[in-house]
Amino acid sequence: LQPPEKPLESEEWNRLRENFRLPEIFEEVMLNSMIRCNSPIDVAKSLLTYVAKRNGDIAYSVLVKYLTLCVQQGQVSEICDVYEIMKGRFKILEIGAYNVLIKGLSNSDQWRMALTLLEEAKKIMIPSRTSYESCIKAASCHQEMKLAFELYHEMLAKNVVPTLDVLQSLFDFSRGMNGAELQKELFGILLYLRENQIYPHKTFMWSIKLWFESIPGRKWRGHLTSIKDSGQCPVCNHQLEDSNLTEEEYNNLSERIIRDVIHGTDTFRKTSPQEFEAFQTFVENRLPFDIVIDGLNVSHIKPKRMHCENLLDAINCLAKDNVRLLVLGRKHMMINSSNWKREIMKEMQTKADFFFAENISEDDAFLLYATLRSGKHCKFVTRDFLRDHKACLSDSLTRHLFRKWQRGHQIVLKAMFFSVFSQQPAFQYDCVVQTTGDTWHIPYKDVFEEKYSYQVPRKWLCIQQKL
Amino acid sequence: MQSANKLLKTIVRSSILPVAAQHGIKRDLFPLSRTLSLSLCLKQDNSCKPSEKLDLDEWKKVMKSGLQEEVSEPQELSSLAAARETLGMWRLAGKLVPENVSEEELKTFMECPSKSAKKKYLKHLYLKELYKKNDKRKMEEKRQKRLEAQEQTSKTDETKRSPFLCLWASTMDKAYNWRAAQSMIFGQPLVFDMSYEKEMSVREVANTVKQLVQSEGCNRRAVDPFHIHFCNFKDDSLYHREFLKHYKEAWGKLLITVTEQCYTEVFPKDKLIYLTADSPKVMKTFDHDKIYIVGSMVDRSIKTGVSLARAKRLGLETAALPLDKYLLWNTGAKNLTLDQMMHILLTLKDTADWKKALEFVPKRKYCGFVAKPVSELKKTLDLVNTLKLGKRREEIQKQFAKNYPKKYKLK
């Protein structure tokens, strides 16, 4: 349905409507296509006039659509008029209309009205993220940073997650402004990024850098850099935080893994109490290990080779310098078969400790337990991202701990030519926004770079205070 | 001059109408106000461009004019009324919201933890209402037709004697009940494990009971019914309440065994087989001496290993249906509904024919049956692929390769 280019008269609208397949929804379909084509507002007005004349009333959904069109074109006075009419006509409005209204008004001189609308919307329901964000942007655009941050905190308190975009705008609009309070708030955003392990993208990073450098009298300087594998910043020679968890975090995490991942709602789902107990005594008697290997996962690295050969290669590759290895597997590996040769299994058992779980048990849970129980130095080998186990953890804080621990302790083997493995080592340093007071290190990602949740950025922004 | 007149007329009509609508008078007002509005409109017309004969903001007047009648003083609403009001607005905004909402439903709505949960719940209610309405309409149509048919027959037919008695539903019921009673003495037991209430949401329990009612129904109609046991059944549990909703007073007269005991207490352990999709063992044949257990659970969120864990805990043998062996699986989870399970087990029991039994697996879940020569299998697969065309083709081939890695090769 193509909307007309000029305002039409009632008769013409009538003709169009009668030719339409479903006359009952003609107005809505027409307005939808007007929104899509961004038709002139006068055309929509003439349609509304036609509808009003025919029915003596205009349906709410049609009004909202018209409102959307006005917002799309920034027709502020029209938005106010429609709001006036809606308020008079209906007892309350629903959240969708409020969202549109707030979005429309926040970009205009009437932005304060958007704030009152936000208050009204709160009475019905939690306003959407975009509503909050438009209000925050409007407030900060008019240099009302205090108000903007109040809204920001309110948003967080209601568990509405802000986009990076709005965080960036807070930095942008604070540029060159002075004030300890404001600085504290913006540092707060950076700490928010740290706590939630969020990485800013490149343009956001520039906003942060420019803001730092614009603070009057503080002489912050930012440099783009990449961190050495040792965890040292090449610009300021500062050593980044290492990836180890604190004692408390570590204990907390192991406890939660045992409780949520291994036992969960029912120990029998992943293992059985007898088996778990047997495994516990097995591990306690042989502690500590240096590397724990997920035998089945590793044995599938090269699909064309025998499973046990793959595993043997991996063990040979890792068994250097007297490291103590533990290989987790399942009982079916012990049965002589085309993929599992008894002699090779025997040979491997001289180089590493083996634990075989029941065929229907989940060996990953054992992997996590054995690694955590062995201590902070212990690493584990698997290509699995362990997402399902992370998902078993009940709160996001522990999930972040898990992710951090995983980054620092997981070794990923990759199959190269013939029998060579390349090791993707665990990170020495923690890849997260961090500060020492007079330096900030902020990892960022290129916008166009595809990033998976398990990948961490390699590029950093180093900010230091020149004294 | 004529055209000018016409123009004026249209203007008059367009500007007068809102006023007329406001007072609820249409025709009578025209002659009186003509002169007055004429002059007014002429002025307006001069100010506008000649091509624009329309007053674009006229709709605002209409909308505002309606206001005076229904001026509502803003008053604080109770939370329930406010929620009802919100629902009304959502409905106006074209969202999927039911027309009538009961007090109880409204409370459930308010207790929904998030906006999306609320929306989902409303959609559910909306669809429920829609189905109900459609059913009602169809019933009405049927009734109408029956009445018409009766009228016709009463005119024509006088004495149409049949050599057989007319078998009414109640007679059939008696026959079914007789068979069910037989099965309670001699039939093979089939256990439904009713211990999953904690794993399910209220809605899932309701779904479970619905499926159980259906299973019981189809078992009763079978030639050789099972002796159904509901084990681990707690009185006044959510299951129980839902059953009462469905069966009402018939609940006490059902020819099944309902017990609070566990199946391990009722039957010897070595005869029990727990049927679960997660089982590593695949069922080969239907054993008439064994007692099969089906978990009465609907898991919309696919909680893997719940029933397997239960069987493991009790040290029972487990089995899964050989779905992969006989069916070329397409999409969907391998767990089937309880009534589908019932149909499959009944058919297996009567015929021991896997193909016939697995007909009851929903058609959308599989592409075809595998108990055929490979060449034929390939043909059906090709057919399926050409039917689905495009991107799906590769997907299906990949799926096939995954499910049947070595045995058959495509092309």
Side-chain angles (χ1 to χ4, degrees):
Chain A
L1 191 65
Q2 195 66 32
E5 275 156 26
K6 271 187 269 171
L8 298 186
E9 292 217 41
S10 295
E11 282 80 22
E12 292 169 285
W13 279 121
N14 216 4
R15 214 171 307 131
L16 272 179
R17 183 176 190 267
E18 265 149 30
N19 289 336
F20 188 63
R21 206 156 33 91
L22 294 161
E24 307 86 61
I25 55 163
F26 171 74
E27 298 89 41
E28 287 181 43
V29 175
M30 184 51 98
L31 273 169
N32 272 344
S33 72
M34 282 183 192
I35 293 170
R36 200 171 48 244
C37 307
N38 206 8
S39 304
I41 203 106
D42 284 348
V43 183
K45 275 185 186 174
S46 78
L47 175 62
L48 287 196
T49 305
Y50 159 67
V51 174
K53 271 195 228 167
R54 208 170 49 98
N55 305 337
D57 191 14
I58 298 174
Y60 180 78
S61 53
V62 174
L63 279 178
V64 173
K65 292 218 160 89
Y66 174 66
L67 195 61
T68 316
L69 188 68
C70 297
V71 168
Q72 196 170 305
Q73 302 180 357
Q75 307 270 1
V76 180
S77 66
E78 202 61 26
I79 295 172
C80 294
D81 277 0
V82 179
Y83 173 61
E84 211 48 51
I85 285 169
M86 281 175 133
K87 227 178 126 185
R89 178 70 184 71
F90 303 100
K91 250 191 226 162
I92 57 164
L93 302 187
E94 48 88 55
I95 202 83
Y98 276 121
N99 286 344
V100 178
L101 281 166
I102 291 170
K103 194 177 162 206
L105 292 174
S106 60
N107 285 328
S108 69
D109 308 336
Q110 302 277 338
W111 64 278
R112 281 195 188 275
M113 194 166 149
L115 294 181
T116 42
L117 284 178
L118 187 73
E119 288 304 314
E120 265 180 56
K122 269 185 231 162
K123 284 182 203 156
I124 310 174
M125 213 176 249
I126 299 174
S128 73
R129 169 157 100 176
T130 45
S131 299
Y132 267 114
E133 292 187 347
S134 351
C135 287
I136 291 175
K137 272 189 187 165
S140 50
C141 182
H142 293 87
Q143 306 290 308
E144 299 245 5
M145 295 318 284
K146 203 171 168 226
L147 182 63
F149 276 105
E150 263 168 35
L151 285 171
Y152 167 69
H153 288 302
E154 189 183 307
M155 187 174 175
L156 290 186
K158 288 190 174 161
N159 262 334
V160 184
V161 182
T163 52
L164 291 185
D165 190 40
V166 77
L167 299 182
Q168 184 184 350
S169 77
L170 285 173
F171 277 96
D172 281 340
F173 288 119
S174 313
R175 200 176 297 160
M177 284 167 88
N178 215 339
E181 195 62 28
L182 181 68
Q183 251 181 61
K184 216 178 117 198
E185 290 285 7
L186 288 164
F187 285 159
I189 294 182
L190 291 176
L191 292 177
Y192 172 80
L193 297 181
R194 173 188 168 88
E195 269 150 36
N196 295 289
Q197 304 194 14
I198 300 168
Y199 308 116
H201 49 73
K202 207 170 184 177
T203 47
F204 186 8
M205 180 275 295
W206 276 108
S207 299
I208 296 173
K209 182 171 180 285
L210 289 175
W211 172 73
F212 265 106
E213 289 171 347
S214 76
I215 303 175
R218 282 302 175 88
K219 290 194 182 141
W220 289 96
R221 279 290 154 266
H223 298 275
L224 306 188
T225 178
S226 49
I227 302 292
K228 294 177 195 163
D229 280 344
S230 61
Q232 206 182 33
C233 171
V235 181
C236 60
N237 291 326
H238 172 71
Q239 183 71 31
L240 291 194
E241 287 175 37
D242 71 38
S243 59
N244 283 331
L245 307 184
T246 65
E247 203 66 41
E248 197 191 335
E249 285 173 333
Y250 195 84
N251 292 338
N252 199 355
L253 181 65
S254 352
E255 223 169 83
R256 294 296 295 277
I257 294 247
I258 293 174
R259 201 185 76 197
D260 292 347
V261 178
I262 297 175
H263 293 305
T265 50
D266 187 350
T267 315
F268 282 96
R269 277 177 74 170
K270 285 185 175 157
T271 166
S272 65
Q274 296 91 330
E275 190 182 30
F276 186 59
E277 209 171 293
F279 178 68
Q280 268 179 319
T281 43
F282 172 88
V283 171
E284 298 302 324
N285 288 338
R286 289 171 175 76
L287 277 178
F289 298 103
D290 298 312
I291 298 177
V292 183
I293 302 168
D294 183 350
L296 279 172
N297 186 290
V298 166
S299 68
H300 283 87
I301 286 185
K302 288 184 218 167
K304 282 188 183 161
R305 301 185 73 202
M306 238 191 290
H307 292 167
C308 60
E309 271 186 302
N310 276 333
L311 186 56
L312 181 67
D313 285 345
I315 289 174
N316 284 337
C317 163
L318 293 164
K320 288 170 200 154
D321 320 319
N322 278 334
V323 287
R324 288 178 50 78
L325 298 176
L326 169 65
V327 180
L328 294 169
R330 294 216 179 100
K331 288 208 166 130
H332 69 79
M333 292 158 71
M334 288 192 293
I335 301 164
N336 205 8
S337 66
S338 59
N339 266 323
W340 298 99
K341 293 279 172 248
R342 188 163 286 153
E343 310 84 68
I344 300 180
M345 288 302 286
K346 278 225 177 88
E347 191 189 331
M348 284 193 275
Q349 269 161 312
T350 61
K351 294 184 179 172
D353 281 310
F354 272 73
F355 182 84
F356 297 102
E358 291 294 333
N359 290 339
I360 51 171
S361 295
E362 280 207 30
D363 47 0
D364 286 349
F366 293 144
L367 178 83
L368 295 178
Y369 177 80
T371 316
L372 281 166
R373 195 64 198 85
S374 294
K376 284 181 183 177
H377 72 286
C378 182
K379 308 243 184 321
F380 63 96
V381 183
T382 177
R383 284 186 302 174
D384 196 342
F385 298 123
L386 307 174
R387 294 190 190 105
D388 46 343
H389 303 293
K390 195 182 76 184
C392 290
L393 297 166
S394 46
D395 65 308
S396 64
L397 195 73
T398 327
R399 282 203 281 264
H400 285 314
L401 277 186
F402 181 80
R403 182 82 73 72
K404 182 176 171 184
W405 174 76
Q406 189 187 0
R407 272 203 302 268
H409 292 83
Q410 181 167 15
I411 301 174
V412 179
L413 285 184
K414 280 195 182 131
M416 303 288 276
F417 311 103
F418 304 107
S419 63
V420 185
F421 284 110
S422 88
Q423 277 184 39
Q424 187 182 312
F427 278 94
Q428 299 268 325
Y429 56 94
D430 190 20
C431 188
V432 72
V433 176
Q434 44 193 283
T435 178
T436 56
D438 56 354
T439 62
W440 280 88
H441 286 90
I442 298 165
Y444 68 93
K445 55 190 185 192
D446 283 325
V447 189
F448 306 110
E449 182 184 42
E450 205 169 325
K451 192 191 148 290
Y452 299 100
S453 65
Y454 60 89
Q455 280 180 336
V456 286
R458 311 304 297 265
K459 294 184 175 168
W460 288 72
L461 169 67
C462 161
I463 300 172
Q464 50 177 331
Q465 209 164 10
K466 284 267 157 60
L467 296 172
Chain B
M1 193 56 209
Q2 250 187 358
S3 62
N5 249 341
K6 210 174 188 181
L7 193 134
L8 279 180
K9 255 185 204 161
T10 56
I11 294 167
V12 168
R13 206 180 303 150
S14 62
S15 64
I16 227 68
L17 210 104
V19 187
Q22 181 187 340
H23 295 285
I25 309 160
K26 273 175 189 163
R27 286 285 151 88
D28 315 328
L29 216 70
F30 272 83
L32 284 175
S33 55
R34 173 164 280 178
T35 46
L36 195 139
S37 43
L38 249 178
S39 58
L40 202 142
C41 285
L42 273 171
K43 261 184 216 159
Q44 258 186 5
D45 202 23
N46 289 339
S47 67
C48 285
K49 282 174 276 171
S51 66
E52 269 186 45
K53 298 155 277 186
L54 298 155
D55 178 8
L56 289 172
D57 286 334
E58 197 178 334
W59 61 277
K60 289 184 191 166
K61 284 183 217 148
V62 176
M63 291 302 284
K64 279 179 186 159
S65 69
L67 292 183
Q68 275 116 27
E69 292 167 23
E70 37 185 319
V71 168
S72 54
E73 58 271 28
Q75 50 191 10
E76 283 303 303
L77 295 159
S78 74
S79 63
L80 222 60
R84 203 172 272 282
E85 203 72 24
T86 318
L87 288 194
M89 290 316 284
W90 274 6
R91 197 173 157 74
L92 282 182
K95 292 203 174 126
L96 302 182
V97 176
E99 212 170 329
N100 305 307
V101 182
S102 72
E103 199 94 319
E104 198 184 337
E105 285 166 339
L106 203 62
K107 269 180 193 149
T108 330
F109 164 75
M110 283 164 66
E111 278 159 16
C112 286
S114 67
K115 215 188 275 183
S116 62
K118 279 181 181 168
K119 273 185 198 163
K120 239 182 226 170
Y121 180 65
L122 285 180
K123 191 182 170 192
H124 163 68
L125 289 182
Y126 170 79
L127 288 177
K128 214 164 106 183
E129 194 181 48
L130 195 73
Y131 294 143
K132 222 177 198 171
K133 253 189 220 160
N134 279 345
D135 284 351
K136 221 177 198 175
R137 195 179 38 111
K138 275 180 199 160
M139 288 265 273
E140 197 59 34
E141 276 169 20
K142 248 187 203 166
R143 209 174 60 98
Q144 210 67 35
K145 259 187 199 159
R146 210 189 312 134
L147 278 178
E148 276 169 29
Q150 251 176 23
E151 258 172 44
Q152 278 189 352
T153 46
S154 63
K155 276 175 203 161
T156 56
D157 163 70
E158 279 298 317
T159 48
K160 220 181 205 177
R161 279 275 169 90
S162 152
F164 299 108
L165 279 173
C166 180
L167 273 183
W168 295 106
S170 59
T171 327
M172 287 307 286
D173 277 348
K174 261 182 208 153
Y176 289 145
N177 279 339
W178 168 250
R179 262 195 229 145
Q182 291 272 327
S183 82
M184 284 196 69
I185 308 169
F186 306 112
Q188 181 180 1
L190 177 72
V191 178
F192 283 98
D193 181 4
M194 314 290 278
S195 55
Y196 293 102
E197 200 173 294
K198 275 194 199 121
E199 327 276 349
M200 289 189 280
S201 66
V202 179
R203 209 169 136 195
E204 282 172 335
V205 173
N207 288 346
T208 309
V209 168
K210 214 173 186 179
Q211 290 179 12
L212 282 171
V213 170
Q214 278 178 23
S215 319
E216 191 272 328
C218 87
N219 182 57
R220 202 183 332 147
R221 283 173 188 77
V223 186
D224 181 17
F226 282 107
H227 176 192
I228 295 182
H229 285 72
F230 286 168
C231 289
N232 292 323
F233 189 92
K234 303 256 171 355
D235 267 339
D236 209 37
S237 58
L238 200 51
Y239 277 124
H240 191 186
R241 268 173 276 155
E242 285 289 328
F243 270 121
L244 285 180
K245 252 190 225 170
H246 274 280
Y247 280 116
K248 312 244 160 57
E249 59 273 19
W251 170 247
K253 294 180 205 155
L254 282 182
L255 292 169
I256 56 174
T257 304
V258 179
T259 167
E260 214 167 294
Q261 283 178 306
C262 185
Y263 28 86
T264 46
E265 297 164 42
V266 184
F267 302 106
K269 242 184 185 180
D270 54 324
K271 282 207 161 187
L272 292 169
I273 296 183
Y274 210 116
L275 292 176
T276 160
D278 297 319
S279 171
K281 276 188 208 132
V282 172
M283 196 170 158
K284 286 211 177 73
T285 50
F286 182 86
D287 194 334
H288 295 270
D289 294 328
K290 295 277 185 190
I291 294 148
Y292 290 98
I293 308 168
V294 179
S296 306
M297 178 181 176
V298 169
D299 53 340
R300 285 162 166 271
S301 51
I302 311 287
K303 302 178 191 89
T304 42
V306 175
S307 51
L308 185 66
R310 200 133 305 179
K312 252 160 99 182
R313 182 192 294 278
L314 297 168
L316 298 179
E317 206 180 313
T318 60
L321 291 181
L323 297 175
D324 271 331
K325 191 177 159 199
Y326 289 103
L327 301 175
L328 194 51
W329 202 257
N330 185 18
T331 54
K334 301 255 164 72
N335 52 359
L336 302 175
T337 62
L338 300 172
D339 50 311
Q340 284 159 11
M341 264 328 256
M342 191 58 154
H343 276 294
I344 290 171
L345 290 174
L346 279 171
T347 320
L348 277 180
K349 185 170 162 219
D350 292 344
T351 63
D353 181 352
W354 279 107
K355 185 169 184 217
K356 235 185 197 169
L358 294 182
E359 295 266 293
F360 291 101
V361 176
K363 294 277 182 292
R364 66 171 189 284
K365 287 196 175 183
Y366 62 93
C367 306
F369 212 75
V370 198
K372 286 180 193 173
V374 179
S375 59
E376 224 172 293
L377 179 72
K378 216 183 99 187
K379 251 187 239 163
T380 44
L381 195 75
D382 278 342
L383 189 71
V384 168
N385 287 346
T386 42
L387 284 178
K388 293 192 171 170
L389 274 174
K391 269 186 196 170
R392 293 293 302 273
R393 186 189 166 91
E394 277 176 54
E395 235 169 74
I396 290 165
Q397 276 182 357
K398 244 184 237 165
Q399 182 111 24
F400 181 81
K402 208 172 73 190
N403 286 348
Y404 308 94
K406 274 154 212 168
K407 285 176 216 157
Y408 327 105
K409 257 193 184 154
L410 286 167
K411 277 161 202 172

